[in-house]
Amino acid sequence: MSATQSPQAKAGHAGGHGHGKAGLAGLVVGAIGVVFGDIGTSPLYTIKEAFSGHYGLVADHDTVLGVLSLIFWALMIVVTLKYVTIIIRADNEGEGGIMALMALAQRTLQRGSWSAYAVGILGIFGASLFFGDSVITPAISVLSAIEGLEVTAPRLHNWIVPLAVLVLLALFATQRFGTAKVGRVFGPVTTVWFLSLSAIGIFNIGHNPEVLQAINPIWAFRFFLTHGSHSIFILGAVVLAVTGGEALYADMGHFGTRPIRYAWYFFVLPSLMLNYLGQGALVLEDPSAVRNPFYIGVPEWARYPMIALATAATVIASQAVITGTFSVARQAMQLGYLPRMAIKHTSYETIGQIYIPGINWLLMGAVLALVLTFRSSTALASAYGVTVSGTMLIDTLLLALVARATWLKARTWVVPLCVVFFIIDVSFLVANGVKFLDGAWVPVALAVLVFTLLRTWRRGRELLSAEIQKEGIRLDTFLPGLMLAPPVRVQGTAVFLTAQTGVVPHAMLHNLKHNKVLHERNVFLTVETLSVPYSHKRLRMDEIGDGFYRVIVRFGFMETPDVPAALMRSCDGGGIYFDPMDTTYFASRETVVASRRRGMPIWRDKLFALMHRNAAPATGFFRIPGNRLVELGSQVEI
């Protein structure tokens, strides 16, 4: 039997395709607030970093127009063409993001093949790079906004870092309350931010309209010809203008493709380019303005309000990155790459709004450490870009695979474009790679650490499952023997949680050994996580006989597993009735012991054992009530 589609799935699809109560205009405003926060704060530091001492550029006429031309065409090719026009078409049932794209790519390959394994490694490393980027974005965004004080009141220079720390502490401390209420002002505040970017840009362009020539790509080619091989390194600053472009795809499921495209084409992109061109016009008029062209270009009377607005915009951008990290972490848990953690839901209406305390505090510690170590957005810019470039490169590779296998008509032009995207992404990666010793190693090291944790947990779970399977008793031979001399039967339903469908659960063996009773109805329950965002066939139930049932409950990787609710809904389809007050859940909690067996190095065995000890119980993750639960322990060597 199969249960009907869950409310979570329906809600997810409604939100993903923009078919909810909100009209298109409301979704566009919402997308402006959530999707474009990161890329929208890039004008705070991009031009300033391009002319910092790190690159040795002189702010003369041709160089300024060349840098502006590179920024314009990076936005057009990488963001507009690659992400907004093409990659956003690769939706996994309405959901986007690198893990959704990985699942799509793996679906085109033979399951269990080497190529499917390689795609999995690629996707997980991309997700790890996303975690590295999530640490830098809040730090550099908030610092760059508050650094406007140096322009308006240089004597406040020593207060910049303490103020940034206070803002970030407040941001992370309020995560537990959720973004439902605060999120309502995200769209309007960010809309005002982009309108301000446009107004300031137009104001400054009016002083030197010649800067509009930068739209001509000839200036970008002249820049490369003039500066020779050294010119590729400036891409390390140009990439700052496109950071956040990958978020367009990741947030597709919240708003749908049309609102994101409309917001980008007709509002966000023009606002960004007007501001970049305005900063360029200011630098052409006064080369000394390169020290902070964004704030110097703001009229003096408006600088303090602009600092406040910029701080609000960077907080919103940071909020989007933090909630995105929560979402990716939950997907990783569902797909078996992260140990289960406590997840709190912050909204009764929106399933996607979650709070993961462990991730929040780890992220806060890493962000504050970066702020206190680097102490300026210029220093942090040297650490920025490698992880973003790596993520964009992996997106290109996975997109080429999906387009070649499934886009029968579009692949004739998408795959050749992927070659162009690949060259650009590699150029960005090389340009940022030279900053490795200047700080770029920090997010890379963090990404490698996260990747090690993800792969160790995945591999450790496989070894643990294989060990339980090897030492277990086959269900099809155990039950007939048990019923030859059955123990005392008691009323009620016993649900035994097991990951191995053909093996007798340890919890059942311990229950029979210690309590010497058997319930009237006994259910062997396995929870499966699918490679699609939402499950359409929630539950499958097979009767074994003699009051025994085998049940498989399926959840998509974007859903919150709720086993009792899934079992209750099975009653509507003609299955057995699960009375919440007459149902007892039995689970085994294994204690993992590291050994020198073949499988993983001993240090990874110990790491997995440590992660396993600190993982949240499966019962809590599956929302099983504690007053209906019996846990029985066992020890397993891997």
Side-chain angles (χ1 to χ4, degrees):
M1 61 163 269
S2 298
T4 57
Q5 186 178 355
S6 72
Q8 285 121 314
K10 293 176 182 177
H13 291 302
H17 298 286
H19 296 158
K21 295 180 180 179
L24 180 61
L27 289 172
V28 168
V29 174
I32 290 171
V34 175
V35 177
F36 300 104
D38 189 4
I39 198 169
T41 55
S42 296
L44 284 166
Y45 46 79
T46 300
I47 299 292
K48 181 177 71 171
E49 299 313 320
F51 288 96
S52 66
H54 183 81
Y55 298 102
L57 295 181
V58 178
D60 56 36
H61 176 273
D62 288 6
T63 302
V64 171
L65 292 184
V67 170
L68 289 173
S69 186
L70 286 171
I71 290 173
F72 174 76
W73 288 104
L75 287 170
M76 293 302 296
I77 296 174
V78 175
V79 182
T80 306
L81 182 59
K82 176 182 172 180
Y83 280 101
V84 180
T85 304
I86 298 177
I87 203 171
I88 206 171
R89 295 163 47 129
D91 68 293
N92 193 339
E93 295 194 8
E95 295 295 331
I98 194 164
M99 298 196 78
L101 187 61
M102 176 191 74
L104 274 178
Q106 285 185 315
R107 220 175 295 163
T108 66
L109 305 168
Q110 183 179 353
R111 189 171 183 178
S113 64
W114 180 89
S115 54
Y117 174 79
V119 166
I121 292 291
L122 205 59
I124 292 304
F125 189 66
S128 303
L129 291 173
F130 173 81
F131 281 106
D133 182 42
S134 300
V135 172
I136 294 186
T137 298
I140 192 172
S141 298
V142 173
L143 269 175
S144 60
I146 299 177
E147 281 173 350
L149 291 173
E150 288 184 318
V151 176
T152 57
R155 65 185 181 280
L156 297 178
H157 171 79
N158 293 332
W159 285 91
I160 290 174
V161 172
L163 286 173
V165 169
L166 288 175
V167 170
L168 290 167
L169 282 173
L171 174 64
F172 284 101
T174 55
Q175 291 301 309
R176 66 183 186 276
F177 300 115
T179 58
K181 296 179 180 178
V182 182
R184 294 172 188 165
V185 302
F186 279 11
V189 169
T190 312
T191 300
V192 173
W193 167 253
F194 282 115
L195 289 173
S196 301
L197 292 182
S198 300
I200 296 168
I202 293 171
F203 172 77
N204 288 308
I205 290 172
H207 294 296
N208 199 338
E210 183 188 7
V211 77
L212 295 173
Q213 296 180 34
I215 295 175
N216 189 338
I218 194 67
W219 289 103
F221 288 114
R222 282 185 182 178
F223 180 88
F224 281 116
L225 291 174
T226 303
H227 294 83
S229 59
H230 178 74
S231 59
I232 192 173
F233 301 129
I234 194 60
L235 295 179
V238 173
V239 75
L240 298 175
V242 298
T243 56
E246 70 282 0
L248 308 178
Y249 178 48
D251 288 318
M252 177 178 65
H254 297 290
F255 300 98
T257 57
R258 285 177 62 202
I260 290 176
R261 282 175 172 159
Y262 287 174
W264 175 256
Y265 292 145
F266 304 113
F267 187 63
V268 176
L269 176 60
S271 299
L272 290 174
M273 275 317 304
L274 284 171
N275 193 266
Y276 283 127
L277 292 170
Q279 291 186 47
L282 180 66
V283 173
L284 285 178
E285 188 177 16
D286 178 14
S288 67
V290 293
R291 69 182 189 276
N292 199 325
F294 179 85
Y295 280 112
I296 293 176
V298 178
E300 191 170 346
W301 60 267
R303 284 177 184 169
Y304 281 114
M306 199 63 193
I307 292 172
L309 181 60
T311 303
T314 55
V315 166
I316 291 172
S318 302
Q319 176 67 61
V321 169
I322 294 167
T323 53
T325 306
F326 292 158
S327 180
V328 171
R330 182 177 68 171
Q331 292 179 33
M333 289 180 217
Q334 288 285 74
L335 293 172
Y337 286 99
L338 264 184
R340 293 176 296 270
M341 299 182 187
I343 296 178
K344 297 182 180 180
H345 295 263
T346 59
S347 172
Y348 291 103
E349 299 175 355
T350 307
I351 290 172
Q353 290 189 7
I354 59 173
Y355 167 61
I356 306 178
I359 297 292
N360 184 66
W361 302 125
L362 286 173
L363 199 59
M364 185 190 76
V367 170
L368 292 179
L370 282 181
V371 170
L372 295 173
T373 301
F374 288 88
R375 305 188 69 82
S376 73
S377 62
T378 298
L380 264 174
S382 64
Y384 208 15
V386 175
T387 50
V388 175
S389 304
T391 303
M392 292 194 297
L393 176 60
I394 292 172
D395 281 342
T396 297
L397 296 174
L398 295 178
L399 171 65
L401 190 61
V402 171
R404 182 176 177 275
T406 60
W407 296 0
L408 301 182
K409 294 182 179 179
R411 67 183 179 187
T412 55
W413 58 273
V414 172
V415 174
L417 278 176
C418 284
V419 176
V420 177
F421 299 149
F422 178 82
I423 294 172
I424 293 173
D425 293 336
V426 169
S427 300
F428 279 140
L429 193 59
V430 171
N432 285 284
V434 298
K435 300 184 294 184
F436 190 81
L437 296 179
D438 294 329
W441 64 270
V442 175
V444 173
L446 182 60
V448 170
L449 174 62
V450 172
F451 178 77
T452 302
L453 294 174
L454 295 177
R455 286 302 306 165
T456 297
W457 181 257
R458 177 79 169 196
R459 179 59 177 156
R461 290 293 299 171
E462 291 172 355
L463 293 174
L464 179 62
S465 178
E467 198 64 29
I468 294 174
Q469 189 90 17
K470 183 175 67 174
E471 296 180 356
I473 303 172
R474 295 294 305 173
L475 198 61
D476 51 6
T477 59
F478 176 78
L479 292 182
L482 177 67
M483 298 315 295
L484 291 176
V488 176
R489 304 292 285 254
V490 296
Q491 290 186 347
T493 302
V495 178
F496 297 95
L497 276 70
T498 177
Q500 292 76 30
T501 55
V503 176
V504 181
H506 282 186
M508 183 180 185
L509 292 175
H510 286 298
N511 186 49
L512 288 171
K513 178 180 178 181
H514 297 291
N515 298 325
K516 299 179 174 58
V517 296
L518 197 63
H519 282 73
E520 181 184 2
R521 291 182 298 274
N522 298 273
V523 176
F524 304 112
L525 176 72
T526 301
V527 178
E528 288 186 357
T529 300
L530 307 179
S531 61
V532 294
Y534 305 98
S535 173
H536 301 289
K537 296 182 179 180
R538 172 70 70 225
L539 187 142
R540 176 179 176 180
M541 181 179 295
D542 298 315
E543 185 174 0
I544 302 174
D546 294 316
F548 291 93
Y549 301 84
R550 181 182 288 113
V551 175
I552 298 176
V553 183
R554 299 182 177 92
F555 296 98
F557 63 79
M558 287 293 292
E559 296 182 276
T560 299
D562 192 330
V563 168
L567 293 179
M568 286 296 296
R569 280 194 292 273
S570 74
C571 306
D572 301 331
I576 64 174
Y577 177 68
F578 288 91
D579 182 355
M581 301 307 297
D582 201 30
T583 300
T584 305
Y585 295 87
F586 290 84
S588 61
R589 188 162 176 83
E590 298 89 1
T591 299
V592 176
V593 179
S595 67
R596 296 190 178 276
R597 300 182 184 182
R598 295 181 62 185
M600 288 194 301
I602 186 66
W603 68 268
R604 291 185 67 192
D605 282 342
K606 292 181 177 180
L607 177 59
F608 173 74
L610 177 65
M611 295 170 72
H612 193 273
R613 280 198 303 273
N614 290 279
T619 49
F621 189 74
F622 297 142
R623 311 191 86 173
I624 294 171
N627 59 352
R628 308 301 308 171
L629 171 67
V630 176
E631 277 193 310
L632 299 163
S634 61
Q635 184 169 294
V636 182
E637 282 191 5
I638 61 169

